[in-house]
Amino acid sequence: MELITKAPKGTVDLVPGGQEAGKASSENWRLVEDVFRGEAELNGFGEIRTPVFEHTELFLRGVGDTTDVVEKQMYTFEDKGGRSITLRPEGTAGAVRAMLETGLYNAGYPVKLYYIDTCYRYEKPQAGRVRELHQFGVEMFGAAEPVADAQVIAMGLSALHRLGLADAGLQLNSIGCPGCRAEYRKALTEYFAAYRDQLCETCLSRLDRNPMRILDCKSPECQEIAKGAPKITDYLCEDCQAHFDKVQEYLTALGIEYELDPRLVRGLDYYTRTVFEFPSKSLGFALGGGGRYDGLVEELGGKPTPGLGFGMGLDRILMALEAQETAFPEPERCEVYIASMGEKALEKALVLINTLHECGISADCDLCARGLKAQMKYADRIGAKFTIVIGDDELESGKAELKNMKTGEKKKISLDDAFTDDYLTACTSQEDLTF
Ligand code: HAM
């Protein structure tokens, strides 16, 4: 029975009114998503929606086959046509694929895209780590200049600050280009080879294939060894160094504080040059992260095109907001509830709430054959600001009382042609309401 009544491990249900019930509240999530959407649109990003599953090959090529994400975490299965399909573990590879397939780049560069997606990673669920994760992401294509790096970072931070996450920081690094990384790779392989018998099994297999991944290993032993490893920033070529210097200059001009972290390599293989994360200082994990990926579009079959972006973990951001006891506004569910006594009155209430809906006013009536007392209790539960009661007398006179549930004030309004006008006049004349 548990398989039916319990959601799979590492997933959450977002429910309306969740805040009051101590559950994840879809209203709070939507408020957070709206802040990110707003920030993206302020910066000229348009929304892209891509499929939740893609051909597995896309992630093998895009994310990299020596990453934890590909090696350990993908939800991969064969569909009924024998194709290998994977639930997207992240949004960038799919956005690149869609940009190329739909020819979005034909409209000119930069192409600026954002998405709010679920991603799937088979990870050990724990605080801040889920299997169905929610990401807000942005991707920008065709902008090679360091000013683009600074602007993308600035917009991420700005959204976090707009949400009131004052403790969100910025960690910054450059991991260079394939040119400077060749030298670095040699130095890393040499360094880690000396610890061959102390590395975990996965890192041992990475030693020859992709030693940079060892820097990102979660095992405490490997992390300890990695502390003494050569730093990529000592190997940057002239162009990569100049790019990195300029990014920092722009961030300083924007008044953005950052911490340089030469060990920050990120968990995905596509990055080049600038990489960054937004850590939550109090929670101790990254709320988001991203960077530049100038080789990815070509790797996935397009013309050489620079790209950059970031992904914000909404699950973690909601957690951080809750941890700092952010006061979310009470969700508004109903402005006016029209209670009724008798079948004819119910019919009138039904017609009137639909008239109000046409004017964009949220209104509700009895859908459960409740008595008047129970209807009023319900109106209270859904937080109706106003109520109207319709019975035989009201039907006969064509008038009813609109009651302000907070102040108790009552106003007579027409139930006939003038209903909506009367309703609006009665509401707007009351001081505590704004429209
Ligand atoms: P990522 O660092 O793998 O980057 O994920 C971005 C954010 O998603 C993380 O900082 C974290 O907040 C959240 N996240 C990742 N895994 C989990 C999980 N298992 N549970 C909860 N939250 C999680 C990317 O995905 C890149 N595609 C970002 C990017 C876009 N880079 C360039 N463009």
Side-chain angles (χ1 to χ4, degrees), residues 69 73 89-93 115 119 121 123 128-135 137-139 266-268 270-271 277-278 285-293 308-317:
V69 168
Q73 299 169 355
E90 59 97 54
T92 310
Y115 48 83
C119 301
R121 297 184 187 178
E123 293 198 78
R129 209 168 278 290
V130 286
R131 289 180 175 169
E132 180 184 63
L133 56 125
H134 300 73
Q135 271 192 3
V138 303
E139 312 295 350
R266 308 271 302 127
L268 312 158
Y270 45 65
Y271 292 111
E277 280 186 353
F278 302 113
F285 48 58
L287 300 173
R292 183 167 273 289
Y293 46 81
L308 71 160
F310 64 72
M312 293 284 189
L314 298 181
D315 307 81
R316 293 183 180 185
I317 284 166

Side-chain angles (χ1 to χ4, degrees), residues 137-431:
V138 303
E139 312 295 350
M140 189 193 287
F141 300 101
E145 296 304 311
V147 66
D149 307 42
Q151 183 51 25
V152 162
I153 291 172
M155 75 184 271
L157 266 181
S158 157
L160 292 175
H161 291 161
R162 229 181 262 274
L163 283 166
L165 285 167
D167 88 330
L170 170 63
Q171 284 172 339
L172 191 68
N173 193 21
S174 172
I175 56 168
C177 61
C180 39
R181 241 184 277 162
E183 267 304 297
Y184 180 56
R185 196 186 152 122
K186 249 194 253 162
L188 265 190
T189 313
E190 233 167 71
Y191 173 81
F192 283 122
Y195 296 93
R196 203 177 269 277
D197 48 352
Q198 291 168 51
L199 292 173
C200 75
E201 221 169 282
T202 316
C203 284
L204 207 52
S205 81
R206 286 165 171 169
L207 189 54
D208 299 319
R209 293 193 295 156
N210 192 352
M212 254 174 94
R213 286 271 64 89
I214 303 177
L215 297 173
D216 198 40
C217 179
K218 305 285 175 294
S219 126
E221 292 79 18
C222 298
Q223 276 183 4
E224 199 48 45
I225 298 169
K227 277 186 190 160
K231 295 177 191 150
I232 176 69
T233 35
D234 293 332
Y235 291 79
L236 294 183
C237 66
E238 217 172 287
D239 284 355
C240 287
Q241 186 63 56
H243 186 99
F244 194 36
D245 290 345
K246 204 70 194 163
V247 172
Q248 293 179 61
E249 191 183 314
Y250 287 129
L251 290 176
T252 305
L254 285 165
I256 292 176
E257 285 178 22
Y258 56 88
E259 192 187 309
L260 290 177
D261 180 358
R263 311 235 166 263
L264 180 69
V265 289
R266 308 271 302 127
L268 312 158
D269 265 357
Y270 45 65
Y271 292 111
T272 51
R273 294 192 166 174
T274 318
V275 287
F276 55 88
E277 280 186 353
F278 302 113
S280 157
K281 291 173 202 149
S282 51
L283 294 178
F285 48 58
L287 300 173
R292 183 167 273 289
Y293 46 81
D294 289 345
L296 182 61
V297 175
E298 195 180 2
E299 181 69 33
L300 296 179
K303 293 202 183 106
T305 308
L308 71 160
F310 64 72
M312 293 284 189
L314 298 181
D315 307 81
R316 293 183 180 185
I317 284 166
L318 265 291
M319 227 181 118
L321 289 170
E322 273 159 29
Q324 63 172 44
E325 293 180 10
T326 298
F328 282 96
E330 284 277 310
E332 292 209 355
R333 262 169 252 141
C334 180
E335 183 169 311
V336 53
Y337 182 85
I338 307 186
S340 53
M341 291 178 290
E343 179 53 33
K344 279 264 165 273
L346 176 62
E347 191 176 304
K348 185 74 180 174
L350 178 69
V351 171
L352 293 178
I353 66 160
N354 279 285
T355 316
L356 290 170
H357 294 166
E358 279 168 24
C359 304
I361 297 163
S362 61
D364 208 349
C365 70
D366 178 39
L367 305 173
C368 298
R370 289 184 166 119
L372 184 61
K373 212 169 145 195
Q375 287 185 54
M376 296 313 279
K377 214 167 147 188
Y378 177 74
D380 194 44
R381 178 153 71 80
I382 61 175
K385 288 183 190 156
F386 296 98
T387 53
I388 298 171
V389 179
I390 305 179
D392 290 345
D393 290 351
E394 285 77 13
L395 285 176
E396 205 172 302
S397 66
K399 293 209 177 307
E401 275 181 336
L402 175 76
K403 181 176 174 189
N404 181 323
M405 296 299 281
K406 200 164 150 201
T407 63
E409 193 180 346
K410 290 180 180 168
K411 286 252 160 86
K412 269 248 179 299
I413 63 169
S414 164
L415 295 180
D416 301 323
D417 293 348
F419 172 69
T420 316
D421 286 345
D422 273 12
Y423 174 81
L424 288 173
T425 316
C427 295
T428 42
S429 68
Q430 302 196 20
E431 281 165 19

Side-chain angles (χ1 to χ4, degrees), residues 40-47 112-114 138-140 152 155:
E41 283 163 15
L42 271 182
N43 281 273
F45 284 67
E47 183 172 2
K112 297 177 181 181
L113 306 172
Y114 81 88
V138 303
E139 312 295 350
M140 189 193 287
V152 162
M155 75 184 271

